[in-house]
Each structure stands twice: as C-alpha cells, then as structure tokens.
Amino acid sequence: MGTWDIGPFDNDTAADFAAALDDAEPESREILIRGVLVRTIDATGWLTGAEEAVAAAALIAAQCPGGEPVDPAYGPETPMPEFPADLRSLADEALARIVDDEDGPASNWVDPEDWRRWRAILGRLRAVLAPPPPSIALFDVQPPGPSLDRRPGAPYGRT
C-alpha cells in the first residue's frame, strides 16, 4: 500500500475507492459504501478493506453535524448521495474494529507520531458518527401551582 499522509484518502487503496465511487452510478454509491463497512465489521483475520472503510466513514461523517468535508484532492470528485442514518452506526462499528486491530492498518505506520495522529483522526470520525445519547430528564419539574400548607391548624390541603 502506498501511503503519503494520514488522512482518510491519503493512501492508494482509499484513492482507488474514491475513483470507484466516481465511476459508479449514483444509486450504487451507497451500496458500495455499505458493502465496505459490513465486510470490515464481519472480517476475520487481516482487515483487507480497512483503508476503504476509513474512507467510507469519512464520507458519512462529512454529512453529520460537526463533520469535516472530505479532501477533494484524493476523495471522490462527484457529490455523494445523502446517506441513511443507519450508515452512521455501521461506520462507527467498522472504525471500532479497525482501531482494535493492532496488526492491521496501524502496523503500516513506521513513525509512531504518524500512527498517533492517524488514530486521532479515527477518534474524531467516531465522535462525529456516534449518535448522541438520548436525553433523559434528571428532574420531573412541574409548573408552579398551589402548595400544600402543612402548618398545624391549617385547613387540609391547599393554601
């Protein structure tokens, strides 16, 4: 694999994946991306599609709040369709699988500093892709209303 920087499309495999997306019919792009993610999640042994999965995750994250646009130099030149929400969790799961595989893409880095920077990029992608936790009310706040008067001799109930 030829790698020239740490970005999601800064290697030959991801750049080839971007070209394949450009060549695909618009309705086929989501299918290609979903396939790469599922193969990475389901892979046993060496993660052969990890570089493509990182690129696919970056494309999905670019459509999420807080996501960064994909580098146009090596990423797809054609606009991507709006991806369905379920791809976010698939992309996050694929990235988790890649991060956990120390013998996979992480082993490609000669310089430990590049490896740390690459892992930081994956962490940022995962932070954007992870769905926000559900909002849970800490207190059941009721609007002000009549209060109970508990003074001795007060009429029972409300004041």
Side-chain angles (χ1 to χ4, degrees):
M1 172 182 87
T3 301
W4 51 87
D5 206 352
I6 60 169
F9 287 93
D10 293 346
N11 61 75
D12 289 335
T13 305
D16 291 345
F17 180 61
L21 289 169
D22 284 335
D23 292 342
E25 295 296 322
E27 60 276 0
S28 298
R29 293 182 184 132
E30 177 192 332
I31 295 167
L32 289 171
I33 287 173
R34 185 179 299 276
V36 164
L37 297 174
V38 170
R39 282 192 303 278
T40 300
I41 293 165
D42 293 344
T44 57
W46 179 258
L47 296 177
T48 57
E51 291 85 2
E52 292 172 328
V54 171
L59 290 170
I60 296 163
Q63 294 184 2
C64 298
E68 297 178 17
V70 172
D71 179 6
Y74 301 110
E77 295 175 1
T78 57
M80 291 294 107
E82 185 172 332
F83 298 121
D86 72 305
L87 283 184
R88 285 179 74 167
S89 60
L90 278 179
D92 183 50
E93 193 174 343
L95 290 177
R97 174 83 168 82
I98 293 165
V99 168
D100 289 343
D101 184 20
E102 295 191 17
D103 293 329
S107 65
N108 292 330
W109 300 105
V110 175
D111 181 354
E113 183 57 31
D114 287 344
W115 177 80
R116 282 190 288 281
R117 290 176 36 225
W118 180 73
R119 286 198 44 132
I121 287 173
L122 298 187
R124 284 194 302 274
L125 288 172
R126 291 196 68 203
V128 169
L129 290 165
S135 176
I136 300 172
L138 297 176
F139 302 99
D140 185 17
V141 179
Q142 299 294 322
S147 63
L148 294 176
D149 188 348
R150 299 196 190 275
R151 292 178 293 156
Y156 182 76
R158 306 195 185 275
T159 56

